[in-house]
Amino acid sequence: MPGDKSISHRAVILNSLAKGKAAIDNYAPGKDCLATITCLRALGVTVHATRVQDSPSALISGTGETGLQEARNVLNARNSATTLRLLCGLLTSQPFLSVITGDASLRKRPMDRVIAPLQLMGADISGRGGDCLAPVVIKGGKLRGVDLTLPVPSAQIKSAVILAGLFASTNTMIRQPVATRDHTERLLTSMGAQLEARGNTISLAPLCSPLTPVSLRIPGDISSAAYFLVAGAIHRDARIVIRDCGINPTRTGIIDTLLDMGARLEFHNERMEAGEPLADIVVESSELRGVEISGDMIPRLIDEIPVLAVAGCVATGKTIIRNAEELTVKESNRIATVARELSRMGARIEPLPDGMIIYGGTALSGTEVDSHLDHRLAMSLAVASLVARGETIIKDAHVAQISYPAFWQDMGITAGFSDS
Ligand code: S3P
């Protein structure tokens, strides 16, 4: 699998703040993580992109916590919300002006969720549309710690506040209503930051000594593995081995849910690397049944819901997804787009304001469908096409490059890309 996207963003951002060099192997090859590198270079960080044993690697010369410089131009996070939101947290503390924008899709996504908490810390940060949207303008300066209950369960908001809190004058406390991915906390702890996570509460002290650079090999991305986990489970003659896949418990909702649905999954070689658990996973053809997915499970599989919906279409019985209103503010409105595009292939899906009901067991047929320029929808539709009768044409399928450039090749799908 390509390196984990969430961990790659954090590894390059945090090592930029450390004093010294770090090598990050199996760095996520997608466009999102390249956008983070481009922004950091514009801020004066030296990042060499190389290849080690055929996988991408990033060599970072950290500037130390006071070494970032004002960028000469607007920073562009492109399609990557993680880049934009995490950099907002970091740049509010830096003594210079920053303007960050993104592509048309990212400029529609909510930024008030990071702007408002950072303003509570004393940050001079504003955004278009009454501090709600990018471009975001930041006049970096002094910050104070905050005691914050996250308004939505989001690791991006949490990480932005943690990055700001490292440079604040007092301690920061973050309370999460539900656990969200904890890669920032794990990495910062291994770099020597004073951070403590107890249950869903994180307390953080401002940096009092430089962060230690940490070289690491990024685990395979479980969000990318999800396409193979579902493909293997729903295909009638499959056995797929996925090696070195991250299995951080804040990310394994897809595995728990597929097991609940009756999937045949096995784990081998479980181990820890650089503070993150990983394993080899084997998936085989399975008979799936519908399940209900809601509550605390949602942040543990939020990015995998489009492909889980495909599993739900093939399963017997109903799959009900609730409490997932966050899907409406992802790369596309994933409640609407998943329901619309899978329905075109013959699925029976009823969209709800916070999820969907999928009536499983209907045969899927190939037809023309649209990715809505959403990488996860493009790849989910490809998985659906594997079990659909006839040919499927996915509009704007190239968008898989955002997180998984080798997807078509790895899936063995002969993709003919046209310009239309
Ligand atoms: C991410 C957190 C999640 C996830 C996104 C990556 C991260 O978003 O959907 O793809 O790396 O922190 P939210 O924090 O908005 O839930």
Side-chain angles (χ1 to χ4, degrees):
M1 285 298 116
D4 186 276
K5 188 156 84 77
S6 293
I7 302 177
S8 295
H9 285 297
R10 287 150 171 89
V12 72
I13 293 174
L14 295 176
N15 272 306
S16 294
L17 301 175
K19 192 109 191 120
K21 291 193 186 334
I24 303 171
D25 291 341
N26 202 32
Y27 187 76
K31 292 201 164 180
D32 272 10
C33 288
L34 289 179
T36 296
I37 289 185
T38 308
C39 290
L40 289 168
R41 282 183 177 146
L43 292 161
V45 183
T46 306
V47 186
H48 284 299
T50 60
R51 291 192 82 78
V52 174
Q53 286 171 357
D54 223 30
S55 61
S57 178
L59 300 175
I60 302 154
S61 301
T63 58
E65 69 272 21
T66 54
L68 295 181
Q69 293 159 18
E70 185 172 84
R72 294 203 194 109
N73 204 342
V74 173
L75 298 167
N76 195 335
R78 302 194 178 276
N79 196 240
S80 174
T82 309
T83 307
L84 204 153
R85 294 189 178 127
L86 266 57
L87 287 184
C88 280
L90 172 60
L91 293 171
T92 46
S93 66
Q94 302 299 309
F96 49 74
L97 182 88
S98 302
V99 183
I100 324 181
T101 191
D103 68 7
S105 153
L106 189 52
R107 279 183 275 118
K108 284 189 212 138
R109 296 178 62 186
M111 292 304 144
D112 41 335
R113 54 179 57 200
V114 280
I115 292 176
L118 292 170
Q119 285 173 338
L120 284 179
M121 300 177 80
D124 187 343
I125 175 169
S126 46
R128 196 169 52 90
D131 292 348
C132 287
L133 300 167
V136 174
V137 180
I138 299 165
K139 213 164 156 199
K142 299 218 177 313
L143 303 178
R144 54 184 175 270
V146 71
D147 185 334
L148 179 78
T149 300
L150 289 187
V152 274
S154 157
Q156 292 174 356
I157 308 177
K158 174 177 66 175
S159 300
V161 172
I162 290 176
L163 279 161
L166 289 175
F167 300 94
S169 54
T170 53
N171 289 354
T172 289
M173 184 88 93
I174 304 170
R175 302 167 203 275
Q176 313 183 77
V178 180
T180 62
R181 64 193 70 193
D182 63 357
H183 309 299
T184 307
E185 296 90 305
R186 285 176 188 247
L187 193 54
L188 266 179
T189 307
S190 70
M191 296 175 82
Q194 283 179 274
L195 180 147
E196 202 184 332
R198 213 174 269 164
N200 286 343
T201 303
I202 294 139
S203 43
L204 170 75
L207 279 182
C208 57
S209 56
L211 290 172
T212 316
V214 170
S215 292
L216 68 155
R217 182 172 172 79
I218 307 279
D221 195 328
I222 191 168
S223 297
S224 300
Y227 305 102
F228 292 88
L229 294 173
V230 171
I234 64 176
H235 193 280
R236 71 184 143 76
D237 186 18
R239 182 171 189 275
I240 302 177
V241 182
I242 300 164
R243 296 202 195 281
D244 307 328
C245 186
I247 51 162
N248 178 315
T250 59
R251 299 281 299 281
T252 45
I254 172 82
I255 289 174
D256 294 345
T257 301
L258 282 174
L259 285 170
D260 234 23
M261 295 176 88
R264 293 165 65 198
L265 295 177
E266 275 173 31
F267 298 84
H268 299 279
N269 203 8
E270 284 187 45
R271 60 204 187 274
M272 291 292 287
E273 262 181 47
E276 291 279 349
L278 54 163
D280 301 336
I281 308 174
V282 182
V283 56
E284 292 183 39
S285 310
S286 317
E287 298 291 324
L288 299 183
R289 52 183 177 268
V291 287
E292 177 157 351
I293 310 169
S294 60
D296 292 7
M297 180 61 91
I298 295 296
R300 296 182 59 224
L301 48 62
I302 187 76
D303 293 342
E304 290 67 73
I305 290 177
V307 76
L308 273 172
V310 176
C313 292
V314 175
T316 51
K318 256 193 296 189
T319 292
I320 303 171
I321 301 170
R322 304 301 309 248
N323 313 125
E325 45 280 281
E326 274 293 298
L327 289 175
T328 60
V329 290
K330 294 294 179 189
E331 285 83 334
S332 67
N333 173 345
R334 287 184 180 154
I335 294 180
T337 56
V338 165
R340 188 180 319 148
E341 300 308 320
L342 287 175
S343 299
R344 287 193 203 194
M345 296 180 77
R348 280 181 57 218
I349 302 184
E350 189 186 320
L352 303 171
D354 67 342
M356 60 192 86
I357 303 175
I358 303 160
Y359 300 90
T362 48
L364 299 180
S365 319
T367 183
E368 217 172 308
V369 287
D370 191 342
S371 73
H372 296 264
L373 290 171
D374 179 337
H375 57 130
R376 302 213 184 276
L377 183 57
M379 293 186 277
S380 302
L381 292 168
V383 173
S385 80
L386 295 177
V387 294
R389 188 169 333 152
E391 187 179 72
T392 303
I393 297 170
I394 305 170
K395 184 162 179 273
D396 290 323
H398 66 277
V399 75
Q401 292 168 353
I402 291 293
S403 59
Y404 193 167
F407 174 78
W408 303 102
Q409 196 186 327
D410 289 357
M411 192 54 94
I413 295 177
T414 333
F417 290 100
S418 69
D419 291 337
S420 58

